[in-house]
Every structure is written in structure tokens, then in C-alpha cells.
Amino acid sequence: MSYRGPEFDALQSRPRRSRRAALTVAAAALVPGALLGWLVYEAVGGSEGSGGPAGQAAPAPTGADPSSPSPSAGSPSASSTAAPTASRSADKPGTSAAPGAPAPLKGKVVVIDPGHNAGNFQHTADINRKVDIGTGLKECDTTGTSTNAGYTEAKFTLDVAHRLRTLLEQQGATVKLTHDGDRPFGPCIDERARIGNTAKADAVVSIHADGSAAGNRGYHVILPAAVHQGAADTRPIVGPSRDLGERIAGNFLRVTGSAPSNYVGGGTGLVTRKDLGGLNLSTVPKVFIECGNMRDSKDAALLAGGAWRQKAAQGISEGIVSFLRG
């Protein structure tokens, strides 16, 4: 997903924190115990480069998925060696329930929203139709971005969504997807919000990968701002959505070893926005996660790997489990 609009322009214009300051803020705001994950990340390449202009257009997809899941990559225990933490943001890891044990998420409903759709490229007129998001009008959907090698965001998000669904169902949750690659395009952003609302979901997570400039690296979780305008009223969900987002961000750092974004969020891995229809129109706790930047070669190499995508799903799952168990 790319960034455009006055809110992001204002965010980009703020003075950039130093790399050391960003690390300090990330550690304080997320999970002190996850610092080991950051150090591992630095050891294998670290975050680099300065923030450049975001929102680079995605090339048309080649249809090639550079990595498909293998049995070892799909194992729910991919994060078994991750650093432990005592922080609220990364407690109660979402490992599979033991046979015969009560399912910890029984009765809970989780909606997973895989960002974009592989068919959007062939339906530009449909996805360019404007819908009301409360604060104004916005395109029904977008094509999303892709790596330089042509691995699309839509393929990435659907793959992670499938992995995440499996992990959450192992915990006893009822899991619904906003789409499963079974429709020609979309759904539109207002419909994506309605699906979570209609399901009375206990948590909704929209999965994305960013399309920012090369050198911009790391993940970030997008939280809903307090919006009360038109059909949008996020005031009741701002607090629980932040709780959900903090727990996902902390567990994602711990399990994947990836660093928080070095170009938005001031090193915290958290960003608040009011220009996303999927958040504005939600009446249940909901966040977006940008798992990395597809336009950076180092992040792209991670996102294209099946083993890393399993870790990403595991980190998100553990954050959701922590939130739902309280």
C-alpha cells in the first residue's frame, strides 16, 4: 500500500529522528524484551537509508510467485527460538492448543482482510470508482504494489492471510476472510469494513506490504484516528484498536526479527491515520499492518520467502491471541 495525502505529507515533513533515537523509542513503546529481535535484524543487514518520497507506482505483475510454502516453512512453531518478553504487547504467545485442551479463542471471531486483489489490474475502472469513507471520497480499491521482480502485494497478502487463518483456527477462533481470491476484483474498502462489522468481529486485521522508496525498510501497524464525520465514527474503537495494534507490533518484532519502520512512526512501528476507509468505517477493533516495503530489495527478499511469511503470520497471530485473551 502506498502513502498519499496531506496527513502523510505532514508526517514526512517532521524532522527525522536519529537511528539511535528510533531504536530507543521503538524499545520503549513496544516490547523491551524484543530488543534481541532488533539486534538480530541489525546483524543481518539492519535498517538503512533515509526516507524518500513514498507512493511509488507498482509495475504490472508478472504472475510469478518466487516462493511457495514448504512443510517446514508452514510449521506453526517457526518462532520457537524468538526472544521471550514480559511486556503486555507480546505476552501469551499464540502457539497451537495441546490436543484435548480447551481452545483459548473458542467463541471469538476474527476477520482477516487481505489487502487488494490480484484481479484489480484488469478492473481499473471498477476499482477507481469513488466510495464515501466519512472524511471524503476515495477509490474503491487499488492495485497495490509489487517487488521489482513482479511479486505482487495481492499475492503476498493472500498467502499470509491463509497462514494466519490456519494458526487462529488452531486456537479455536472462527475466522473469516474479506475475500479469498474468489472474486474478479475488490472488494471495495467500504465493503471490507462492512464484512468485519456484520461479523461482529472481536478483531480485524488488514494485511499489506508497502510501496515506498528504496532504502525505506521495516514494518508498521496503522491505527485508526478518532474520526466522527459522515458515516464514520471510530471513537468507540480507537482505544481497543490501539491495544490490538500494540500487541501485534510487539509480537511481529519479536517473532520475525524485523525492525520497526525507519521512515514513518518515529521508530515506534505505529502510525495513526484518518484517511483509510477500511479503518474509518469500522465499528469493531481493527488495524492495518504493513509487513515491509516491497520496493526495497532487502525487505522484498524477506517478503518473497515462504519461511519469513510464516513468521509474519505467527507474529500477527500471537498479537491477536494476546489481545483477545486480555
Side-chain angles (χ1 to χ4, degrees):
M1 184 171 69
S2 299
Y3 288 86
R4 295 182 179 86
E7 292 87 359
F8 182 68
D9 292 340
L11 182 64
Q12 287 288 69
S13 65
R14 296 175 189 167
R16 182 174 303 279
R17 300 173 189 238
S18 69
R19 185 168 169 179
R20 184 178 299 275
L23 174 57
T24 302
V25 175
L30 295 174
V31 284
L35 181 58
L36 180 57
W38 166 260
L39 296 175
V40 171
Y41 179 85
E42 286 291 283
V44 297
S47 60
E48 62 183 60
S50 59
Q56 294 185 356
T62 63
D65 184 344
S67 176
S68 57
S70 64
S72 58
S75 170
S77 62
S79 63
S80 60
T81 59
T85 176
S87 169
R88 183 191 69 158
S89 296
D91 57 5
K92 300 178 182 176
T95 53
S96 301
L105 298 188
K106 184 177 181 179
K108 299 294 186 181
V109 177
V110 178
V111 170
I112 305 171
D113 178 27
H116 313 288
N117 183 318
N120 283 358
F121 285 95
Q122 285 76 46
H123 294 271
T124 54
D126 295 299
I127 66 171
N128 285 334
R129 177 176 63 85
K130 297 294 195 296
V131 298
D132 189 350
I133 67 167
T135 55
L137 298 178
K138 200 162 186 179
E139 291 81 3
C140 154
D141 203 2
T142 62
T143 60
T145 188
S146 72
T147 67
N148 292 332
Y151 180 48
T152 65
E153 183 181 359
K155 287 186 176 181
F156 169 82
T157 63
L158 191 58
D159 179 84
V160 174
H162 287 160
R163 296 169 187 269
L164 178 57
R165 177 174 60 188
T166 298
L167 292 168
L168 291 171
E169 287 179 342
Q170 289 171 351
Q171 295 288 304
T174 297
V175 181
K176 302 177 183 294
L177 269 61
T178 58
H179 76 96
D180 200 1
D182 51 356
R183 52 189 298 163
F185 65 91
C188 293
I189 53 179
D190 56 343
E191 183 182 353
R192 290 173 187 263
R194 275 196 305 274
I195 292 169
N197 298 343
T198 301
K200 294 181 171 54
D202 297 287
V204 184
V205 178
S206 189
I207 301 171
H208 290 267
D210 207 1
S212 187
N216 291 344
R217 297 196 63 192
Y219 72 90
H220 62 279
V221 177
I222 305 175
L223 314 174
V227 174
H228 185 211
Q229 187 175 340
D233 187 1
T234 62
R235 293 173 298 174
I237 68 164
V238 166
S241 295
R242 172 168 283 275
D243 186 17
L244 172 63
E246 288 175 348
R247 292 173 187 263
I248 289 176
N251 281 282
F252 195 88
L253 185 157
R254 178 178 59 82
V255 174
T256 67
S258 292
S261 169
N262 66 0
Y263 59 101
V264 292
T268 66
L270 300 172
V271 176
T272 301
R273 291 177 64 175
K274 63 179 181 180
D275 62 324
L276 298 176
L279 295 180
N280 287 3
L281 301 176
S282 182
T283 59
V284 294
K286 182 174 182 177
V287 298
F288 283 43
I289 181 167
E290 299 279 2
C291 297
N293 177 21
M294 287 193 139
R295 309 302 288 168
D296 176 83
S297 60
K298 292 182 178 179
D299 267 11
L302 295 175
L303 296 165
W308 189 91
R309 293 197 299 270
Q310 183 64 28
K311 289 182 180 181
Q314 184 75 39
I316 298 169
S317 171
E318 294 190 7
I320 294 171
V321 171
S322 172
F323 170 74
L324 294 179
R325 297 181 70 180

